[in-house]
Amino acid sequence: MKKNKISVVWLMTILLSILVWACSVVPFTGRRQLSMVPESEIMAMSFSQYDAFLKENALSKNKAQTALVKKVGANISTAVDRYFSENGLEDQLSNFQWEFNLAADDTPNAWCMPGGKVMVYEGILPITQDENGLAVVMGHEIAHAIAKHGSERMSQQMGAQLGATALSVVLAEKPEETKNLYMTAFGVATQVGVILPYSRTHETEADRLGLIFMAMAGYDPSTAVAFWSRMAEQSGGSNPIPFLSTHPSSNSRIRNLQKALPEAMKYYRP
């Protein structure tokens, strides 16, 4: 009996050590998160899936709107890169290959894959209304990627669905299952029949970081309140908004944004 108890203690110690080793820390917030999937594999999947999306979906032919998406993306990514470099955090973005595109799709949606692969849909532009509104959306999506929320969700899903099977093994033996797991984790794949909303923790964190990132790029973070209010009004209609399937809008979000504004305004230089 005593030997069994010792074995259990050793097992628990090993498991706790693995969990501590598999944790990373979210920039700015300091929150520890589970990170079981190697970043090299996540990045390879991201770049591959983004390229596949570009091949399978048409890009916008609206030159002015496309240029605006690329401009806002460049402004935010440049500001984020500069901040991380100035604070000795450049290693966290070493694998990023920023890319910004506008899909010819009237669906109100936007997302950012790991490594800075951003896609905005034409359908969300009437809600963003202007450059600042677009910066709210893109800053928020970029925040999800920098905070590695998708990787965290994929780690959680792997633990629940795949057990201790290594991602490299799953990639080789179950490529379709792995693709579906990836796409749902990163909020891209309504086409595979699963919509996985971000958790309240992830949403609040992305809102806070998104405000900071857009402020660093010279966009007024206070405009985020107006954007999410418009989004909340849109959600009251009969047609569901895909963007809100993964990014739920609520009164509590508005309150949290207002609380986060003073911190973000410290970074705002018009």
Side-chain angles (χ1 to χ4, degrees), residues 24-143:
S24 60
V25 178
V26 179
F28 290 91
T29 70
R31 181 178 65 85
R32 299 192 69 84
Q33 62 185 171
L34 184 64
S35 181
M36 296 174 61
V37 186
E39 185 167 346
S40 59
E41 294 181 350
I42 282 289
M43 291 298 177
M45 292 176 68
S46 174
F47 299 157
S48 174
Q49 293 301 330
Y50 194 79
D51 288 344
F53 184 92
L54 292 176
K55 291 177 182 177
E56 297 167 6
N57 298 270
L59 293 180
S60 174
K61 295 181 180 180
N62 188 312
K63 293 182 179 180
Q65 291 180 342
T66 298
L68 184 62
V69 167
K70 292 183 181 296
K71 174 188 175 183
V72 173
N75 287 342
I76 294 177
S77 61
T78 298
V80 170
D81 283 341
R82 182 173 61 248
Y83 178 86
F84 274 62
S85 177
E86 290 174 350
N87 289 274
L89 302 171
E90 59 270 24
D91 287 350
Q92 296 193 27
L93 303 180
S94 60
N95 293 319
F96 272 56
Q97 297 179 19
W98 297 102
E99 188 170 353
F100 310 95
N101 284 295
L102 179 64
D105 192 320
D106 60 5
T107 305
N109 203 14
W111 40 262
C112 179
M113 287 184 181
K117 300 297 184 179
V118 179
M119 185 63 64
V120 177
Y121 292 44
E122 287 179 332
I124 204 169
L125 297 183
I127 305 175
T128 60
Q129 294 187 351
D130 55 24
E131 188 169 342
N132 260 285
L134 183 58
V136 174
V137 171
M138 296 183 71
H140 180 92
E141 293 307 306
I142 288 171

Side-chain angles (χ1 to χ4, degrees), residues 140 203 207 228 247-257:
H140 180 92
E203 280 300 278
D207 281 342
W228 284 107
H247 303 77
S249 180
S250 65
N251 291 330
S252 62
R253 158 172 261 140
I254 302 298
R255 290 194 296 271
N256 287 334
L257 283 167

